[in-house]
């Protein structure tokens, strides 16, 4: 707005004595708005008010502009956050949609399969019985424990035949003869004895070690003048007694000739045997070579007095497996075919050498002491 200079006052006349010649003055410029002096103040006030109003409008507009800029920034930030949330929600929805589509496809496949492939007919009682019978018929039972035990000890079993008395050309007796006493010491049986023997005994033993030593009962070879041993492969050889342990009725023989395939027995732990444990006697009863009888341990730590003033044996294993003449000196084995004792005798209140249910064996840890093995 254009401002106007204040109106000039007309010059006042001066007294004549004060008047002095003055330089010539320029005539004043005429006012733009030739208004009267009393109206010029109102215009000035109006002009000042208009200036203030303009300044206020400009300041208000600046505040409005700033507020709008702040509001716009907040709206833009909120919109950006909303877009980010929507994108994250869309990703989750898309994953869920894919999973739901997979589940729906699986259910659809199951439905189509059930629709195209009808379920089998329900089983009847007859079907179940037939299936059970078929399964039982197809089962092949494993071998019994006794079979595995026999297979383990059989290669180590030895047949012992002895000759006693004077040598002659008479053949050996072909029939069984009762043994003497309750010790179970075998006498000649249906098996042939060494030729030329007027008397002898038949017993059993087993290969003790890799040197071919044979362990048996002492009463089998105590009175022998000649000993012949036959191994599991049929090899026969003369043998001599190298160790005697009369207090345990144990003897160790050394054969003159060893078989090509020597199979020492595996020694077990007699302390593992309990009353009721399975026990197997393997020997040559009545000359029936390679025979086996099964039973259980029926007692432990038994004492047994041999007949005719024989030694009193201690700590014997009592078994109910059949023991008959010819089995003396044979091994008593456990379920794994390990030797836990040496068969030494039987109890029989009659005069017949037959088994009545009680037999004895020397624990192998005690018998092993006769061969120089540790007893524990």
């Amino acid at each position: 707005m254009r401002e106007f200079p204040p109106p000039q006052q007309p010059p006042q006349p001066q007294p004549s004595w004060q008047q002095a010649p003055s330089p010539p003055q320029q005539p004043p410029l005429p006012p733009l708005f030739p208004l009267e002096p009393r109206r010029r103040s109102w215009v000035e006030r109006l002009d000042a008010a208009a200036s203030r109003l303009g300044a206020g409008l400009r300041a208000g507009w600046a505040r409005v502009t700033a507020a709008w800029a702040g509001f716009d920034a907040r709206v833009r930030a909120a919109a950006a956050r909303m877009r980010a949330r929507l994108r994250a929600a869309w990703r989750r929805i898309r994953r869920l949609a894919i999973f739901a589509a997979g589940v729906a496809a699986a259910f659809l496949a199951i439905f189509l399969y059930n629709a195209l492939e009808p379920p089998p007919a329900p089983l009847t009682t007859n079907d179940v019985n037939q299936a059970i019978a078929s399964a039982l018929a197809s089962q092949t039972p494993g071998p019994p424990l006794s079979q595995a035990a026999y297979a383990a000890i059989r290669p180590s079993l030895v047949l012992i035949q002895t000759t006693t008395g004077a040598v002659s050309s008479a053949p050996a007796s072909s029939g069984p003869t009762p043994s003497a006493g309750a010790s179970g010491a075998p006498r000649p049986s249906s098996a042939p004895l060494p030729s030329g023997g007027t008397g002898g005994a038949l017993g059993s033993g087993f290969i003790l070690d890799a040197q071919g030593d044979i362990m048996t009962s002492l009463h089998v070879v105590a009175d022998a003048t000649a000993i012949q041993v036959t191994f599991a492969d049929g090899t026969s050889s003369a043998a001599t007694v190298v160790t005697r342990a009369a207090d345990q009725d144990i003897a160790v023989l050394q054969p003159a000739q060893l078989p090509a395939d020597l199979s020492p027995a595996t020694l077990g732990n007699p302390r593992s045997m309990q009353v009721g444990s399975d026990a197997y006697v393997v020997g040559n009863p009545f000359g029936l070579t390679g025979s086996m009888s099964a039973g259980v341990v029926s007692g432990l730590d038994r004492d047994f007095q041999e007949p005719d003033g024989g030694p009193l044996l201690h700590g014997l294993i009592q078994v109910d497996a059949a023991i008959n003449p010819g089995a003396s000196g044979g091994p008593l084995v456990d379920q794994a075919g390990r030797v836990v004792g040496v068969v030494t005798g039987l109890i029989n209140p009659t005069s017949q050498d037959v088994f009545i249910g009680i037999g004895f064996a020397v624990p192998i840890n005690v018998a092993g002491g006769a061969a120089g093995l540790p007893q524990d």
Side-chain angles (χ1 to χ4, degrees), residues 262-305:
L262 191 66
S263 299
T266 302
L267 305 184
N269 180 13
R271 295 181 178 178
S272 65
M273 305 297 286
Q274 303 295 327
V275 175
S277 298
D278 291 336
Y280 308 103
V281 173
V282 184
N284 309 294
F286 301 113
L288 303 174
T289 57
S291 297
M292 179 179 188
S293 59
V296 297
V297 175
S298 57
L300 295 170
D301 198 20
R302 301 300 195 197
D303 295 337
F304 175 68
Q305 177 71 53

Side-chain angles (χ1 to χ4, degrees), residues 22-125:
S22 57
Q25 297 182 354
Q26 297 293 331
L29 296 174
L32 294 176
F33 298 96
L35 301 176
E36 297 180 359
R38 64 176 180 271
R39 298 186 61 182
R40 288 180 181 173
S41 59
W42 178 82
V43 173
E44 293 175 356
R45 288 196 298 272
L46 182 61
D47 186 54
S51 299
R52 288 193 299 273
L53 178 61
L57 290 175
R58 285 192 296 272
W61 178 253
R63 286 194 296 272
V64 169
T65 303
W68 174 257
F71 175 75
D72 183 67
R74 287 192 296 272
V75 168
R76 291 178 181 275
R81 290 193 298 270
M82 183 60 68
R83 284 193 298 270
R85 290 181 186 142
L86 289 176
R87 283 194 295 269
W90 171 248
R91 285 194 295 268
R92 288 194 295 270
I93 292 173
R94 185 170 57 186
R95 287 195 296 267
L96 290 176
I98 295 173
F99 176 75
V103 172
F107 278 108
L108 180 60
I110 294 173
F111 174 77
L112 292 176
Y113 177 79
N114 291 332
L116 298 176
E117 188 72 18
L123 294 176
T124 63
T125 305

Side-chain angles (χ1 to χ4, degrees), residues 195-288:
S195 61
T198 60
L202 179 70
S204 304
F206 58 92
I207 302 174
L208 180 63
D209 51 31
Q211 286 72 39
D213 294 330
I214 300 170
M215 179 171 283
T216 185
S217 293
L218 178 60
H219 69 260
V220 175
V221 296
D223 301 326
T225 56
I227 303 174
Q228 182 178 357
V229 296
T230 303
F231 296 95
D233 64 352
T235 302
S236 296
S237 172
T240 57
V241 179
V242 294
T243 303
R244 296 172 181 263
D247 55 344
Q248 298 297 340
D249 190 29
I250 294 296
V252 176
L253 311 180
Q254 188 176 64
Q257 180 183 356
L258 296 179
D261 186 10
L262 191 66
S263 299
T266 302
L267 305 184
N269 180 13
R271 295 181 178 178
S272 65
M273 305 297 286
Q274 303 295 327
V275 175
S277 298
D278 291 336
Y280 308 103
V281 173
V282 184
N284 309 294
F286 301 113
L288 303 174

Side-chain angles (χ1 to χ4, degrees), residues 160-165 172 185-189 193-194 197-203 220 223-226:
I160 300 175
Q161 295 172 294
T162 65
T163 302
T164 59
R187 294 295 188 182
S189 65
L193 294 178
T198 60
L202 179 70
V220 175
D223 301 326
T225 56

